[in-house]
Every structure is written in C-alpha cells, then in structure tokens.
Amino acid sequence: MTDTTAMSAKELLGFYQEELYEEARQAKKEGKLVCWSASVAPSEFCVAMDVAMIYPETHAAGIGARKGALDVLEVADEKGYNVDTCSYARVNLGYMELLKQEALTGITPEKLEKSPAARIPLPDFVITCNNICNTLLKWYENLAVELNIPCIIIDVPFNHTMPIPQYAKDYIAEQFKEAITQLEEICGKKFDYDKFLKVQEQTQRSVAQWNRIAALSSHKPSPLNGFDLFNYMALIVCARSKDYAEITFKKFADELEENLNKGIFAFKGNEQKRVTWEGIAVWPHLGHTFKGLKNLGNIMTGSAYPGLWNVSYTPGDMSSMAEAYTRIYINTCLDNKVKVLSDVISGGKCDGVIYHQNRSCKLMSFLNVETADILQKENGLPYVSFDGDQTDPRNFSPAQFDTRIQALDEMMKQNKEGVSNE
Amino acid sequence: MFTMGIDIGSSSSKVVILEDGANIIAGEVIQIGTGSSGPKRVLDEALSKAGLKLEDMAKIIATGYGRSSVEEAHKQISEISCQAKGVFFLVPSAKLIIDIGGQDVKAIRLDSKGGVKQFFMNDKCAAGTGRFLDVMSRVLEVNLDDMAEYDARATEPATVSSTCTVFAESEVISQLSNGVAKENIIAGVHQSVASKACGLAYRCGVEEDIVMCGGVAKDLGVVRAISKELKKPVIVAPNPQITAALGAAIFAFEEVRGANK
C-alpha cells in the first residue's frame, strides 16, 4: 500500500483519482461489479455494497480538460445524438460506444487508444438520479439499453416551492428503499445496513472537510483560488463516501489555513477584485478562463456549483438524507436559487458575477437571465454572461469571453471607485 | 497634448487622434480589421492627416476585438467602456447605446455620468451583426451602401424569420426566386437585424436618448427598423464607426491628466 502521509493535497488528489479508476479496472478483472453513477446520485448505497464506482460526468470533464472531447463527441454525433444534447452525455455515450466496440470485436478503436482520458471499464449496471437534471434519465436509460444492463433510477421531484415538503422527502426515502431492493437483486446479497451507516458517517466527514475548504474563500485576500475547487471537485463527486475525499480535503484545508496564517494568498499580492462564477467550468478552456481573470487580478471566490455536493444530513435518518439529495439549488425554484447565489456572492465578498450560459446545461443556464436581474437589483453588483459549454470546445469563443470579463473588470472598478452613482 | 485611440474590429480598423481631450484632429477608418494590413494603414493615415508622429502621442489605448495585437498601445480597454466614453462625449444626453459591428451586437446602458451601468451582447452567433448584412448584400447583389435606399422604397417588408445567418440566407434566396422585390426583402433583413439588437436593448432598459454607433449605424435602413421597433427616435452618432476609438483616446487623455495631477 502506498504511504500517503507525506503527500501534499495536490498529490493526494492525483493519487486518489487514479486509485479510484484502478480499483474499478481491478474489480472488472476480478469479476466484481462496476457501476456507472450520476454525479449527485447517492453514492452511499453502492459503496456500502462494495461496488466499484465510475462517475461519467467527472470522466467526461477530465476528457474535456485534457482536450480529448472532440474525438468522442464525433462518435456521439455519428450515433445520431443531437449537438443540443448535454456534452457530458455525448462525451460519455461516445466513449461508451468505443468501449462497446472494443468489447465486441477485441480491437481497440483508434479514438479510444488515443484518448487522453483514464481508461474505465464498462459498467455492469448504472444508477442515476434526476436531482440535477432530467437528461440523466434518458442518458442512463440509453446506457442500460445499449449495454443490456440494469438501470437504477432514483426519482427526485423538482422543488417548485421551499421549504421541501415532508411528502417529497417521504417519496424520495421510498425511492431509496426501492433502489436498495434493486441493488440486493443485482449484487445477489442482502443490503448491509451497519456498513451503510458507516458509509453515511464517512460521507458526512468528507462533506464537512469540503465545506471547510469552500468557507476559506471568505477571507480577503483569499488563500483559496476558487478554480481549485473545480479540480478538487473530482473527489467530492467520486469519493465522498470513502475516506479518500476526507483525507485529501482535510489536507488541502490545513494547507490553506497554514497559508492564511502565514499571510500567503492565492494571488499573492495581486488580488484586486473578487468574482462569483455561476455555472459549470468550461473544462476544455479552463486555463484560458482562469488566466483571463487572473491577468486582470480577478480571483474567483464564489461558486454555487461546488455546493451541489454539500449533502449534509443525519446518518441513520433516511428522511434527512432524502432532503440533502433534493435541496440542491438547481433542483429548486428561482427564489431559492437566487437566495443560494446571493449567499455565495456575499460569502465570497464578490465585486461582480460571471454567468456561464452553458449550451449543455439548460437547467443551470435558463434561469440565469432572471437570476442576474433579481440579484443585481438586490446587490447592485455588475455582471456579465458568456456563451460556453462544459465539454464541447466548439461552443466557446475565447475572444468573446475576454471582452466580457474585461468589461466586467472595468465596471467593477468603476463601482469600487464610486464613479457610478446609480 | 495628443492622445490616440485605436479600435481594431473584426472587419474594420479605426484610429482617433485627440488634442487635449477635446478636439478630434484625425478620425480614420479602413474597412479591414484585425489580422490584416488595416491596423497599420489606418494608423499611418491618421498620423499623416494630423501631421504628427507616433512619438507625439502622450498615450495610446487600444480597444476592439484585435486590441491585444496592437503593439503601439500602452493599454487595452474593452470596447464596451470605450463606446460608452466616446458616445457620451459626442451625445451627453445618451442613455442607451446600440452598437452593431462586424461580429458583435451590443446594447449598453449608461448611468448619468456616462459610465457603463449594464450591457448585453449577442451570443456566439452572427445573427444581427454586420456580417449578417454582408452575407445578405452579396446574395441580393446590392451594395451595403445602397441598402438604405432600397429599404426606403419598400412597400411591404418581407419576413426573414430564421435567426441563423445561413438559414436566413437560404430564406432570402427563396424569396428572390419567388419574385419578392429586393426592396421588401431588404426591409425584412433590416427588421431581422433590428429585432436582435432590440432584444438586447429591452434587457438593458430602453431610455432616451438612444444612440446608435458601429459600422452598421451607417445603414439608415437598420436605424429606421430599430426606431420603429423601439417606437422611439434613434440618434446616429456623428461618424459612428469611430466612437470606440474616440472613447479610447479620451481614456488615454484622462489617464495622462490623472497621472500629472
């Protein structure tokens, strides 16, 4: 076993990401079950049953960040998936197609061979949850049909009003029970409730450390560069029910706190303005978006996206767990979305907001116009929006992005200097 | 003191030389933009017209799509802030700017001091831009400069409903083959451009005075269509292509003056 005690948080992040993929590949070799899971589907059930997990959204983001998305997007195009479909879905369905071809013919397709992404095994079953979007239903149904494998669906109704009614929590808790029954059948063994409780407790420890990191961006200047959350997010998605996430996040939070005490900040002495980034990262252009802001002295200290995995609940209480998995801000009404984002903006002491009009994520983007309008009336902060996509590099224009963030920078400057009186 | 503003767009290059932040002593335009010989040529032309040398400039600020590639510039400022600055200088009563260039459509709302209160731009799409008009002018075999005249003679504007430039082009082709008069098609094309720009303007909040700038402001057919859509008069900025360059030159002047205080 590798000794991880001396590793930095960054090294731990890389190590555990690879470890998770290796565990899945090893499980497949040994004939154990592998599950592909939606990113905010409860991970606790499968981990309690010792199923190796792969998270296609994280895998797709990795392909995007490593500039390998176009190849697999083309495969999805050839299969007839419309370009208006979520690019995480298209990347994953394209990648699955390549894996399937390899499994059927014994020949590794060139695009799979060349792919910069970590190799993942095909799943034995999939689990999905519509608490972050409904595309995940059809996407996972397609995976299940294409591969002729079981699909566990956890249905989580949209919260048109807040607070979340008890009947919704009861319904979701019933969905959990149904998922457990399906899982028992797929795994051929009884569900281990004692282990499940331990996994729930582990999940809460991981989430607590995750929230500890996010809270550090409230310091001014900030020791945390918000874009780092996008990178560390891989483990809150893929390993929150294991200690990998807790260990890595604790290390990172400790490092950041140490830096804070020593007066070492993310942008050294160059933090001039602070922005909130609303939406998913533009993975294929992550460097460009980050550097563009950094060159203007703009640090991202607010983002509601990492908060999607703030699944805090009371272990042993299914109703509490149900609430955690349904209150995700993009599964709630406009009023609540505005409230969540408003807290993010004030928590990060931000001077402006950047809205990612993400062609892939309609759920996150369609409310942006309304949200921005309401929030600006409330806080008077300037904002811009730009066209982009989480993994399809063709939907982003670097020059258009640059113009918008430069104009935002100038508006924030104008606001701070009190030039504007309105 | 002389300052210079250079605005390198996607389809034209503009330079303004300003004396003491008040007198425009050169305002030149060349109808080719970034990546071409346009930027150098327009710079040479402006200096020659003013009888000045680059060294005479106290400060040079670049703006526009190609702003980062202007080696002569001391600083870059976005075209949003520069348009606001330039238009407000020319029309101090301006509250809303509609700027249509080669590949961008912008609506910029000003505060009472001429600062940018809010702005909205087109998404990653050529609909409603100067490029859209370029494509239509080619299909219609009517020079861009003559489009306004055709528009004025229209009796019943045709409907150009497609948002996508390529689909709108085929829509226009089909109307031509159906014998629809060019005048009416051109009025429809202008309506289509206006509808995109006004969508952004409505989001900003429409308040007079409304000023139009950018290369497309020279097409009075578009100005007419925007005015009709907004049901308000639209002022065309004097020499509407150079307003962003002018704004950059004013920023340059203010920065030098601020530094000397």
Side-chain angles (χ1 to χ4, degrees):
Chain A
M1 232 174 106
T2 312
D3 181 14
T4 56
T5 48
M7 284 187 187
S8 67
K10 197 175 173 185
E11 286 166 342
L12 286 168
L13 174 66
F15 173 77
Y16 283 126
Q17 277 182 281
E18 180 47 35
E19 186 75 2
L20 287 161
Y21 286 128
E22 183 52 33
E23 282 173 7
R25 289 189 292 259
Q26 197 55 36
K28 195 71 174 181
K29 266 188 212 158
E30 292 169 8
K32 293 180 185 165
L33 292 173
V34 173
C35 171
W36 283 10
S37 170
S39 66
V40 201
S43 47
E44 291 86 339
F45 308 121
C46 287
V47 172
M49 293 293 262
D50 286 324
V51 173
M53 307 287 284
I54 293 286
Y55 294 83
E57 289 152 77
T58 303
H59 189 249
I63 295 178
R66 292 183 180 87
K67 319 278 184 203
L70 271 181
D71 268 356
V72 272
L73 286 168
E74 280 166 11
V75 178
D77 283 354
E78 287 160 20
K79 290 294 287 181
Y81 289 102
N82 191 286
V83 290
D84 286 334
T85 310
C86 162
S87 59
Y88 278 171
R90 282 183 290 133
V91 164
N92 178 245
L93 288 160
Y95 195 88
M96 178 274 293
E97 182 61 29
L98 295 175
L99 288 174
K100 188 176 161 186
Q101 282 172 17
E102 183 187 51
L104 289 173
T105 64
I107 300 162
T108 305
E110 197 188 338
K111 284 184 174 177
L112 188 57
E113 188 79 51
K114 275 172 41 193
S115 175
R119 276 301 297 266
I120 55 172
L122 280 166
D124 299 295
F125 70 99
V126 292
I127 181 165
T128 193
C129 179
N130 55 347
N131 56 354
I132 53 168
C133 79
N134 278 300
T135 300
L136 280 162
L137 293 183
K138 287 295 157 196
W139 169 5
Y140 277 65
E141 276 179 3
N142 283 16
L143 287 172
V145 170
E146 290 280 352
L147 299 169
N148 193 23
I149 54 173
C151 176
I152 299 177
I153 295 172
I154 296 174
D155 180 38
V156 170
F158 189 86
N159 296 296
H160 293 281
T161 55
M162 293 292 273
I164 296 151
Q166 187 58 44
Y167 63 78
K169 289 185 245 178
D170 293 344
Y171 172 77
I172 298 161
E174 284 300 313
Q175 290 283 303
F176 289 170
K177 283 185 197 163
E178 176 61 23
I180 289 170
T181 308
Q182 284 177 273
L183 203 50
E184 286 179 326
E185 202 172 307
I186 293 164
C187 297
K189 61 180 181 185
K190 287 303 245 182
F191 191 69
D192 184 342
Y193 281 91
D194 292 335
K195 188 163 183 205
F196 176 57
L197 182 64
K198 288 195 168 55
V199 171
Q200 285 185 310
E201 286 165 354
Q202 175 59 62
T203 307
Q204 292 313 298
R205 288 195 296 275
S206 301
V207 169
Q209 293 298 333
W210 178 244
N211 291 343
R212 210 181 130 213
I213 300 170
L216 283 161
S217 67
S218 65
H219 292 277
K220 201 172 177 178
S222 173
L224 172 70
N225 158 26
F227 273 79
D228 278 343
L229 282 179
F230 287 154
N231 293 323
Y232 281 84
M233 196 182 287
L235 288 184
I236 193 69
V237 175
C238 307
R240 63 184 176 275
S241 294
K242 290 175 166 253
D243 63 0
Y244 301 172
E246 183 195 357
I247 292 167
T248 307
F249 298 158
K250 182 178 182 309
K251 182 78 182 174
F252 190 37
D254 288 348
E255 286 174 2
L256 291 169
E257 276 179 4
E258 197 181 328
N259 284 346
L260 182 67
N261 292 334
K262 288 182 186 162
I264 301 170
F265 305 107
F267 276 15
K268 310 289 187 285
N270 193 35
E271 178 186 311
Q272 291 168 25
K273 295 171 212 83
R274 299 157 70 95
V275 295
T276 287
W277 176 290
E278 169 53 9
I280 303 176
V282 186
W283 296 111
H285 299 276
L286 192 67
H288 183 93
T289 50
F290 168 62
K291 283 179 202 149
L293 287 165
K294 192 180 180 193
N295 291 341
L296 294 165
N298 293 338
I299 187 167
M300 192 261 275
T301 54
S303 174
Y305 182 43
L308 253 62
W309 291 271
N310 174 16
V311 282
S312 307
Y313 58 81
T314 308
D317 180 347
M318 279 295 207
S319 182
S320 167
M321 183 176 164
E323 179 173 4
Y325 276 100
T326 187
R327 67 164 176 251
I328 292 132
Y329 83 111
I330 54 171
N331 195 46
T332 63
C333 54
L334 177 65
D335 288 350
N336 192 58
K337 180 181 175 177
V338 167
K339 186 181 174 305
V340 169
L341 207 54
S342 175
D343 291 345
V344 164
I345 295 166
S346 56
K349 301 181 176 66
C350 296
D351 305 300
V353 188
I354 299 167
Y355 292 89
H356 177 187
Q357 285 300 102
N358 182 348
R359 298 246 173 149
S360 273
C361 193
K362 279 77 176 173
L363 186 62
M364 287 185 93
S365 303
F366 278 1
L367 285 178
N368 278 351
V369 173
E370 207 73 39
T371 306
D373 198 36
I374 297 169
L375 280 171
Q376 198 192 32
K377 285 193 179 89
E378 182 184 305
N379 59 27
L381 296 178
Y383 69 90
V384 288
S385 61
F386 71 93
D387 260 28
D389 195 288
Q390 59 212 32
T391 21
D392 192 332
R394 298 166 293 192
N395 291 335
F396 175 80
S397 160
Q400 286 196 345
F401 176 80
D402 293 347
T403 299
R404 283 154 175 81
I405 57 160
Q406 187 167 15
L408 176 69
D409 180 70
E410 290 155 6
M411 287 160 77
M412 291 191 292
K413 187 164 177 270
Q414 180 184 291
N415 248 15
K416 281 176 92 123
E417 289 171 353
V419 176
S420 170
N421 61 349
E422 284 159 47
Chain B
M1 174 176 57
F2 299 106
T3 55
M4 181 184 273
I6 306 178
D7 174 13
I8 307 303
S10 63
S11 54
S12 63
S13 307
K14 291 81 72 176
V15 165
V16 165
I17 298 175
L18 199 61
E19 186 177 16
D20 297 331
N23 305 318
I24 300 171
I25 57 170
E28 303 305 305
V29 180
I30 285 196
Q31 302 298 357
I32 39 174
T34 188
S36 71
S37 62
K40 178 162 182 353
R41 282 166 52 200
V42 75
L43 186 69
D44 291 345
E45 263 187 32
L47 287 169
S48 156
K49 185 170 179 190
L52 294 166
K53 295 193 289 294
L54 207 56
E55 303 81 74
D56 297 326
M57 300 301 128
K59 188 154 195 172
I60 302 171
I61 288 182
T63 186
Y65 176 62
R67 64 190 178 283
S68 308
S69 56
V70 182
E71 287 170 9
E72 293 82 0
H74 302 109
K75 185 179 177 176
Q76 291 82 32
I77 293 182
S78 78
E79 54 264 44
I80 291 99
S81 297
C82 287
Q83 284 292 15
K85 184 65 91 179
V87 168
F88 191 73
F89 176 84
L90 295 168
V91 187
S93 56
K95 287 285 184 295
L96 175 69
I97 299 171
I98 295 174
D99 166 25
I100 310 184
Q103 63 176 20
D104 279 340
V105 187
K106 305 180 195 80
I108 306 168
R109 185 79 155 78
L110 303 182
D111 61 29
S112 57
K113 292 181 179 173
V116 177
K117 191 173 171 188
Q118 184 56 277
F119 77 94
F120 294 105
M121 291 175 77
N122 58 316
D123 48 22
K124 198 171 175 245
C125 168
T129 65
R131 193 75 71 208
F132 179 85
L133 285 173
D134 272 349
V135 169
M136 298 310 157
S137 121
R138 189 170 42 78
V139 175
L140 288 155
E141 297 181 291
V142 173
N143 284 335
L144 275 173
D145 293 341
D146 300 331
M147 299 263 282
E149 273 179 44
Y150 276 77
D151 179 282
R153 293 197 298 268
T155 50
E156 192 183 344
T159 304
V160 180
S161 56
S162 300
T163 303
C164 167
T165 304
V166 176
F167 291 142
E169 182 183 5
S170 60
E171 205 177 336
V172 165
I173 291 169
S174 123
Q175 287 179 342
L176 278 172
S177 70
N178 286 338
V180 179
K182 283 185 182 177
E183 286 80 356
N184 289 342
I185 298 176
I186 287 171
V189 165
H190 286 156
Q191 200 62 48
S192 167
V193 171
S195 134
K196 286 296 286 183
C198 293
L200 301 171
Y202 285 129
R203 284 182 66 191
C204 274
V206 177
E207 192 182 340
E208 291 178 69
D209 286 342
I210 303 159
V211 180
M212 211 181 145
C213 60
V216 172
K218 294 195 300 183
D219 181 343
L220 294 178
V222 174
V223 181
R224 175 205 60 77
I226 288 177
S227 178
K228 186 179 169 204
E229 169 66 31
L230 298 178
K231 298 182 186 66
K232 290 186 191 305
V234 173
I235 300 165
V236 177
N239 205 349
Q241 261 192 296
I242 64 156
T243 43
L246 172 62
I250 299 170
F251 272 123
F253 170 76
E254 288 176 351
E255 292 202 3
V256 176
R257 191 182 54 180
N260 290 343
K261 263 186 186 171

